Amino acid sequence: QVQLVESGGGLVQAGSSLTLSCSTSARTFSSYALGWFRRPPGKEREFVAAISWSGDTTKYADSVKGRFTIYRDNAKNTGSLQMNSLQPDDTAVYYCALMMVSGDFAPQYGYQYWGQGTQVTVSS
């Protein structure tokens, strides 16, 4: 069973930066696309960003484009999400997930493995 663990969440002020990390037990991590999703309070979980297995292709939600950057390190079986210029609307539980089969990055149903999430709270 593949496990993913997110870390790096916390409480920050608007305008701050935060980096989330995702570590995985997947031996073939380099075979998976990596995605980040978030669930704002009282809302559905939504797509944030994703990166292909090779790192060559990335995709971002319009709401974070230009502020967030997704990375991966296949040698260390880790991924990260650099978040800059955080706003209160970015407050959410953030999840990382792995996609085994190449496809559209945005739909949640494309991802087979999920972490438990890490809370990010941005105060105004």
Side-chain angles (χ1 to χ4, degrees), residues 3-82:
Q3 294 184 326
L4 293 87
V5 178
E6 303 91 343
S7 61
L11 171 63
V12 297
Q13 291 187 329
S16 299
S17 298
L18 205 58
T19 299
L20 304 182
S21 297
C22 175
S23 61
T24 172
S25 64
R27 288 194 209 175
T28 56
F29 175 67
S30 60
S31 300
Y32 296 88
L34 170 69
W36 285 93
F37 292 76
R38 66 186 182 187
R39 187 192 301 274
K43 297 183 180 180
E44 297 294 316
R45 190 161 58 185
E46 62 186 23
F47 172 76
V48 175
I51 187 168
S52 63
W53 65 271
S54 64
D56 289 345
T57 303
T58 58
K59 179 174 180 174
Y60 296 92
D62 288 342
S63 59
V64 306
K65 203 171 293 183
R67 298 188 299 122
F68 290 13
T69 306
I70 187 170
Y71 298 99
R72 68 183 299 155
D73 185 336
N74 288 342
K76 297 182 179 179
N77 284 8
T78 60
S80 61
L81 184 68
Q82 172 70 42

Side-chain angles (χ1 to χ4, degrees), residues 103-122:
D104 189 349
F105 285 157
Q108 300 181 45
Y109 60 74
Y111 293 81
Q112 288 73 44
Y113 303 107
W114 292 82
Q116 294 299 308
T118 185
Q119 176 71 46
V120 173
T121 303
V122 184

